[in-house]
């Protein structure tokens, strides 16, 4: 990874890679969402509300995956002192928070007709809400430290916060197993899926599409942060001159 530590070398790869991730991702998610809305049948119990899973599941996956990426970036910053690790953490935080908010919103919309309530303080929903607040805390810490850092990254305190917050990820994953919950148990595991194949196949398309889109957004944000850092460094040199 250190061969990409040079921002110029990173940008040379990131510029074309952004488009390669963005447009195929957009095509996959539009195709998957269209098939989920108009091709797959309604569920015999949940009816039309089952179609929310094509947005809800990818949003939950990316909310958790985003924080995992923040933790990895924090580890690379603290242990290997990778110069782009802090930039990556800041770039991941905002889209990660957005997808976590989408997960919470779509879960509430699904829960109203299914459970008879918009919100229930069960393990899965509560731990996802905690994740959203962790994202907000990370964004605030990152913005505060970036204003003081010449390289526009985040402080070691923010990196440590990202690592500590990763404790919540396995809690989210196992919450429906550890505690009694209104939320359904694991639907997709290594042993297979409890979702009928007629409903399942568009989920793979939206999951892949949103994942590629997420990667493109992170790369765009990293490029924007590096461009901002370059402008700020130039202004500082002019001010000193």
């Amino acid at each position: 990874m250190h061969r990409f530590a040079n921002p110029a070398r990173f940008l040379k790869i990131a510029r074309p890679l952004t488009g390669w991730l963005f447009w195929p991702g957009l095509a996959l998610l539009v195709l998957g969402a269209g098939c989920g809305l108009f091709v797959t049948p309604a569920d015999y119990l949940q009816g039309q509300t089952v179609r929310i899973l094509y947005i809800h599941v990818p949003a939950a996956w990316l909310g958790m995956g985003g924080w995992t990426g923040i933790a990895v970036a924090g580890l690379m910053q603290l242990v290997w002192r990778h110069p782009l690790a802090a930039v990556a953490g800041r770039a991941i935080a905002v889209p990660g928070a957005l997808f976590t908010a989408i997960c919470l919103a779509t879960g509430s919309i699904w829960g109203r007709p299914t459970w008879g309530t918009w919100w229930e303080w069960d393990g899965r929903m509560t731990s996802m809400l905690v994740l959203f607040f962790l994202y907000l805390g990370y964004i605030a810490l990152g913005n505060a430290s970036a204003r003081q850092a010449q390289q526009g990254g985040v402080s070691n305190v923010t990196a440590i916060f990202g690592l500590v917050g990763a404790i919540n990820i396995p809690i989210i994953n196992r919450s429906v197993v550890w505690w009694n919950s209104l939320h359904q148990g694991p639907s997709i595991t290594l042993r297979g899926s409890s979702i009928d194949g007629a409903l399942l196949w568009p989920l793979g398309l939206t999951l892949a599409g949103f994942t590629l889109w997420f990667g493109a957004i992170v790369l765009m944000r990293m490029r924007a942060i590096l461009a901002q850092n370059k402008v700020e460094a130039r202004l500082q040199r002019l001010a000193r001159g």
Side-chain angles (χ1 to χ4, degrees), residues 107-143:
S108 294
I109 294 170
W110 178 83
R112 181 64 180 87
T114 306
W115 301 335
T117 180
W118 293 99
W119 184 264
E120 180 68 26
W121 292 99
D122 73 338
R124 174 60 61 83
M125 298 179 73
T126 303
S127 54
M128 282 300 298
L129 182 62
V130 169
L131 179 63
F132 179 67
F133 288 136
L134 286 171
Y135 271 117
L136 297 183
Y138 186 93
I139 292 169
L141 284 172
N143 289 340

Side-chain angles (χ1 to χ4, degrees), residues 3-241:
R3 55 186 298 238
F4 301 111
N6 183 285
R9 186 178 297 135
F10 168 78
L11 290 172
K12 185 177 180 180
I13 297 173
R15 288 190 185 99
L17 185 58
T18 301
W20 297 342
L21 294 177
F22 183 89
W23 295 113
L26 181 61
L28 284 172
L29 70 89
V30 169
L31 178 62
C35 291
L37 284 173
F38 304 112
V39 177
T40 59
D43 184 74
Y44 76 103
L45 287 178
Q46 300 179 33
Q48 301 294 340
T49 59
V50 73
R51 304 186 193 281
I52 295 175
L53 74 90
Y54 303 117
I55 304 297
H56 178 72
V57 173
W61 155 256
L62 291 172
M64 297 169 63
W67 195 273
T68 302
I70 286 175
V72 171
L75 183 66
M76 294 179 67
Q77 178 182 347
L78 293 171
V79 177
W80 291 286
R81 307 293 182 184
H82 197 290
L84 292 182
V87 175
R90 286 185 62 201
I92 293 170
V94 172
L98 174 62
F99 277 102
T100 302
I102 292 172
C103 171
L104 291 169
T106 53
S108 294
I109 294 170
W110 178 83
R112 181 64 180 87
T114 306
W115 301 335
T117 180
W118 293 99
W119 184 264
E120 180 68 26
W121 292 99
D122 73 338
R124 174 60 61 83
M125 298 179 73
T126 303
S127 54
M128 282 300 298
L129 182 62
V130 169
L131 179 63
F132 179 67
F133 288 136
L134 286 171
Y135 271 117
L136 297 183
Y138 186 93
I139 292 169
L141 284 172
N143 289 340
S145 63
R147 284 193 292 267
Q148 302 174 1
Q150 288 185 351
Q151 297 302 317
V154 293
S155 66
N156 285 346
V157 173
T158 313
I160 293 170
F161 181 83
L163 285 170
V164 173
I167 297 172
N168 192 44
I169 299 303
I171 294 175
I172 295 172
N173 181 260
R174 303 302 295 171
S175 58
V176 293
V177 177
W178 291 342
W179 300 295
N180 291 327
S181 172
L182 281 176
H183 196 285
Q184 67 191 62
S187 300
I188 303 174
T189 65
L190 295 176
R191 294 187 296 271
S193 172
S194 60
I195 303 174
D196 188 88
L199 296 172
L200 182 62
W201 63 271
L203 179 59
L205 297 176
T206 58
L207 191 60
F210 275 114
T211 301
L212 293 175
W213 228 34
F214 187 91
I217 293 171
V218 170
L219 287 177
M220 284 189 286
R221 284 182 51 78
M222 289 184 70
R223 290 166 56 191
I225 292 170
L226 289 173
Q228 181 182 5
N229 295 345
K230 187 175 181 180
V231 171
E232 290 177 353
R234 184 176 300 171
L235 290 175
Q236 288 176 3
R237 288 195 300 268
L238 291 173
R240 288 194 297 267

